[in-house]
């Protein structure tokens, strides 16, 4: 077997310096994650409790099978936006296991702006539905939602990928045979009412749950009718009168128990996969990754050292090891699931791109998922690179990756710049999952290169007066500030350009969960849709 022999020395001075810097990055990540997952202000959490309501992550904990993992997606969505008041974009999404069945869970956090939908809330909700549709996951909606946040209406309501798109996706999934189940814990008004109304089955909690297209205030303005919320859209009315609700629960634990019961009766098909039932862990400690990743992002490091700490038994069958060495390709397994890995050891040359395209073809032929580990400045530029055909050869890799009908996973471990991001299956190429490390950078180019490009353009501006030193300093400072801010991993994850920032030591477990989802879920057969009467 091709076992990676690590060259890392944990006692080396550079290793220790790298580890110290990375520990600082991890400290920042943990602090921000703790704040983002704490919910809304204390006074709103207290009000929530007084209504005998569980917090959103407590609901999820009771819903999933005991002692099983919940893969939360984009917990830092909306970080740094709206004065940092919309934690996790007001919605928790992720993949859990209920009665042994993998499901997508989409749960509103009513302590954050009443569970209202902001631009990033809609984007996060729809991204979860996209993953569910691709991986054939039933959807469970834990609804406690105030509808669209009205001051944001132009970024939430009118466009193709706004709030209405969530309902479109819900209908399409139901029509394709993917169950849609809603548990309503609180108010669901306006657009929020359609989440349960479009579900195949609905559970409501007595006393707290309400569903109405227009709340009492809207009813008063529209038709001058005085009515209280319970009479208008309470759980008892919708269960006994309108028929919108299928199951009335006395409290939240009972509602969650009923939801588990319904999932247990889904009879969702699962396809098998040739996996090792007892995979061996890596031979090297994953915590050593913190010392492997260079403190200075410009200093390279061997991606093989990362692979050795992620894959089963550190076994890696390298493809074309002596050719196109700036791209590392090979076969391995993660938690027993076979995977083809593509990682970067520098910029991609023509031979590297051709090697990548060839390797992707092998994975397609063998139906093996692809894993891309990004640490790339881009494809090589310059006269010699162009003469070698970098444009057409890089396009071949991009084409092969784009059309490969196998699951694709991406992790941005370092830089992911320009066309290199494209060749390595960046967000625009719709990998099934994409995560980032705290050391990630995502941009068209680095701040150094961007500043130099803009300075060169100004110096050579045709017909303009020669640039002064003050003007050049201003240009450089402005460009560096922009690119430093916008290439930061927190800037990216706040806008849902990835599915979350993860710690390097979590990577193997996260990828194992993702591979289990993309490799074992049901097939693509179509079923008759469920029509609500």
């Amino acid at each position: 077997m091709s076992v990676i022999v690590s060259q890392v020395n944990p006692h080396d001075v550079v290793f220790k310096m790298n580890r110290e810097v990375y520990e600082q990055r991890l400290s920042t990540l943990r602090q921000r994650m703790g704040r983002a997952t704490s919910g809304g202000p204390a006074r709103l959490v207290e009000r929530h409790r007084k209504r005998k309501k569980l917090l959103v992550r407590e609901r999820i904990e009771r819903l999933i099978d005991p002692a099983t993992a919940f893969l939360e997606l984009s917990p830092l969505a909306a970080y740094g936006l709206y004065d940092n008041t919309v934690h996790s974009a007001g919605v928790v999404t992720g993949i859990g296991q209920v009665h042994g069945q993998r499901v997508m869970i989409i749960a509103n956090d009513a302590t954050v702006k009443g569970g209202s939908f902001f631009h990033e809330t809609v984007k996060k909700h729809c991204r979860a539905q996209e993953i569910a549709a691709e991986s054939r996951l039933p959807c469970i909606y834990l609804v406690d939602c105030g509808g669209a946040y009205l001051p944001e209406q132009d970024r939430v309501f009118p466009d193709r990928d706004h709030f209405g798109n969530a309902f479109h996706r819900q209908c399409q999934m139901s029509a394709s045979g993917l169950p849609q189940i809603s548990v309503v814990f609180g108010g669901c008004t306006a657009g929020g009412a359609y989440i349960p109304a479009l579900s195949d089955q609905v559970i409501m909690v007595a006393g707290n749950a309400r569903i109405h297209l227009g709340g009492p205030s809207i009813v008063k303005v529209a038709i001058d009718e005085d009515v209280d919320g319970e009479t208008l859209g309470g759980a008892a009315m919708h269960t006994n009168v309108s028929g919108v609700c299928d199951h009335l629960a006395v409290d939240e634990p009972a509602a969650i128990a009923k939801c588990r019961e319904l999932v247990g009766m889904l009879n969702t098909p699962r396809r098998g996969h040739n996996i090792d039932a007892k995979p061996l862990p890596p031979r090297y400690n994953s915590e050593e990754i913190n010392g492997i990743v260079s403190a200075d992002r410009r200093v390279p490091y061997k991606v093989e050292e990362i692979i050795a700490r992620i894959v089963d038994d550190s076994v890696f069958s390298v493809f074309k090891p002596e050719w196109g060495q700036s791209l590392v390709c090979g076969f391995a397994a993660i938690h027993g699931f076979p995977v083809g890995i593509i990682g970067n050891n520098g910029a991609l040359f023509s031979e590297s791109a051709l090697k990548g395209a060839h390797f992707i073809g092998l994975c397609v032929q063998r139906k093996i998922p692809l894993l891309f580990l990004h640490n790339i400045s881009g494809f090589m530029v310059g006269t010699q690179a162009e003469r070698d055909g970098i444009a057409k050869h890089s396009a071949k890799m991009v084409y092969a990756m784009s059309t490969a009908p196998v699951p694709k996973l991406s992790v941005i471990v370092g830089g992911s710049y320009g066309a290199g991001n494209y060749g390595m299956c960046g967000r625009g190429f719709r990998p099934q999952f994409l995560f980032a490390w705290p050391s990630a950078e995502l941009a068209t180019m680095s701040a150094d290169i961007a500043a130099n490009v803009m300075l060169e353009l100004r110096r050579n501006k045709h017909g303009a007066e020669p640039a002064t030193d003050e003007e050049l300093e201003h240009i450089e400072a402005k460009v560096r500030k922009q690119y430093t801010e916008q290439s930061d991993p927190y800037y990216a994850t706040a806008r849902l350009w990835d599915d979350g920032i993860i710690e390097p030591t979590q990577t193997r477990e996260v990828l194992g969960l993702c591979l289990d989802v993309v490799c074992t879920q049901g097939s693509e057969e179509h079923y008759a849709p469920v029509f609500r009467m």
Side-chain angles (χ1 to χ4, degrees):
M1 302 295 286
S2 302
V3 176
I4 297 175
V5 178
S6 177
Q7 303 299 317
V8 169
N9 177 10
H11 304 292
D12 182 73
V13 173
V14 175
F15 179 94
K16 292 180 178 179
M17 181 186 69
N18 290 341
R19 183 175 59 191
E20 183 178 339
V21 171
Y22 217 102
E23 288 296 335
Q24 292 172 357
R25 291 174 179 161
L26 292 176
S27 177
T28 298
L29 173 63
R30 291 164 186 166
Q31 181 183 30
R32 293 177 178 180
M33 285 283 286
R35 185 70 190 95
T37 58
S38 64
R43 60 183 177 80
L44 296 182
V45 171
E46 183 181 358
R47 186 178 71 178
H48 197 79
R49 294 284 196 198
K50 286 181 177 178
R51 294 173 176 172
K52 298 182 179 180
K53 299 171 73 172
L54 298 169
L55 298 179
V56 62
R57 289 176 177 82
E58 294 173 344
R59 292 167 179 164
I60 292 172
E61 186 177 358
R62 290 188 180 221
L63 176 64
I64 63 176
D65 294 343
T68 61
F70 175 64
L71 178 59
E72 184 169 345
L73 303 170
S74 301
L76 288 167
Y79 171 80
L81 305 174
Y82 313 106
D83 296 323
N84 252 342
T85 59
V86 187
H87 299 307
S88 297
V91 64
V92 179
T93 64
I95 298 168
Q97 181 174 295
V98 180
H99 275 294
Q101 166 71 58
R102 295 282 184 198
V103 298
M104 176 61 74
I105 300 171
I106 302 175
N108 306 113
D109 187 348
T111 70
V112 178
K113 302 293 185 180
S116 297
F117 276 71
F118 290 71
H119 174 75
E120 291 74 21
T121 316
V122 172
K123 194 171 182 179
K124 184 172 176 178
H125 184 111
C126 289
R127 172 59 182 155
Q129 290 178 308
E130 179 183 38
I131 292 171
E134 286 181 344
S135 299
R136 306 298 300 164
L137 297 172
C139 286
I140 298 177
Y141 303 89
L142 305 184
V143 193
D144 204 343
C145 169
Y149 184 66
L150 296 182
E152 281 268 299
Q153 75 89 24
D154 65 322
R155 301 179 69 229
V156 173
F157 172 71
D159 205 356
R160 186 193 70 170
D161 294 325
H162 286 175
F163 207 180
N165 183 243
F167 309 138
H168 172 75
R169 290 178 181 274
Q170 196 171 338
C171 295
Q172 292 295 320
M173 281 191 286
S174 179
S176 74
L178 285 180
Q180 308 290 298
I181 298 173
S182 281
V183 186
V184 183
F185 296 96
C188 300
T189 190
Y194 278 107
I195 298 173
L198 290 170
S199 294
D200 305 332
Q201 287 180 281
V202 179
I203 303 164
M204 294 182 73
V205 178
N208 279 332
R210 294 174 184 172
I211 297 175
H212 34 57
L213 295 185
S217 59
I218 293 179
V219 170
K220 176 63 175 176
V221 172
I223 62 173
D224 196 28
E225 177 185 339
D226 292 308
V227 62
D228 63 88
E230 185 65 23
T231 303
L232 181 64
M237 188 281 290
H238 278 309
T239 306
N240 301 319
V241 180
S242 74
V244 169
C245 175
D246 305 308
H247 304 280
L248 180 65
V250 295
D251 56 21
E252 294 201 2
I256 293 169
K258 173 56 76 171
C259 183
R260 285 183 50 80
E261 176 188 321
L262 297 183
V263 174
M265 303 298 289
L266 289 180
N267 191 32
T268 305
R270 289 169 64 88
R271 65 175 183 266
H273 204 279
N274 183 25
I275 68 168
D276 184 351
K278 295 182 179 180
L280 294 172
R283 300 187 181 202
Y284 307 102
N285 191 337
S286 64
E287 291 185 359
E288 291 177 344
I289 294 174
N290 299 344
I292 294 169
V293 177
S294 300
D296 185 343
R297 288 184 170 98
R298 295 169 296 183
V299 177
Y301 51 88
K302 292 289 187 181
V303 72
E304 293 93 335
E305 296 289 0
I306 292 174
I307 294 170
R309 289 156 177 82
I310 293 176
V311 302
D312 295 355
D313 200 26
S314 301
V315 170
F316 185 55
S317 178
V318 187
F319 175 70
K320 285 185 179 291
E322 307 300 329
W323 194 69
Q325 294 182 25
S326 64
L327 190 71
V328 175
C329 306
F331 298 100
I334 297 177
H335 281 284
F337 293 97
V339 63
I341 300 177
I342 299 178
N344 305 123
N345 272 341
L348 296 189
F349 296 80
S350 288
E351 58 267 31
S352 310
L354 289 172
K355 172 180 170 180
H358 185 174
F359 180 72
I360 290 169
L362 293 178
C363 291
V364 171
Q365 182 192 59
R366 301 170 190 179
K367 297 181 173 59
I368 295 176
L370 286 160
L371 169 62
F372 297 83
L373 300 176
H374 299 225
N375 185 27
I376 182 169
S377 57
F379 289 101
M380 182 52 63
V381 297
T383 303
Q384 188 58 51
E386 297 297 348
R387 287 176 177 271
D388 289 341
I390 188 64
K392 66 177 181 180
H393 294 315
S394 64
K396 291 173 184 175
M397 181 176 173
V398 171
Y399 189 96
M401 177 273 300
S402 299
T403 59
V406 295
K408 294 182 277 285
L409 313 177
S410 280
V411 181
I412 303 178
V413 303
S416 186
Y417 299 110
N421 173 268
Y422 297 164
M424 292 295 290
C425 196
R427 190 64 143 185
F429 293 86
R430 290 162 171 71
Q432 270 72 14
F433 293 94
L434 187 152
F435 297 96
W437 285 1
S439 47
E441 280 193 352
L442 176 64
T444 53
M445 59 190 72
S446 70
D448 288 340
I449 294 176
N452 287 327
V453 168
M454 296 305 293
L455 289 174
E456 191 68 17
L457 288 172
R458 176 60 187 93
R459 290 189 186 103
N460 297 314
K461 187 175 181 180
H462 181 70
E465 293 290 330
T468 64
D469 290 343
E470 291 78 7
E471 182 183 0
L472 293 176
E473 288 174 3
H474 174 73
I475 291 173
E476 181 175 14
K478 181 180 178 181
V479 173
R480 284 187 180 279
K481 181 177 184 297
Q482 176 192 358
Y483 273 75
T484 299
E485 176 187 346
Q486 294 180 355
S487 61
D488 185 84
Y490 296 99
Y491 188 95
T493 202
R495 291 156 178 80
L496 290 105
W497 297 347
D498 56 46
D499 294 315
I501 299 177
I502 60 175
E503 299 188 17
T505 55
Q506 298 172 329
T507 305
R508 173 174 163 82
E509 303 307 318
V510 168
L511 291 175
L513 286 168
C514 292
L515 287 166
D516 179 56
V517 168
V518 300
C519 291
T520 63
Q521 289 307 118
S523 60
E524 292 291 337
E525 292 93 1
H526 291 282
Y527 298 86
V530 175
F531 291 101
R532 291 199 57 80
M533 301 304 293

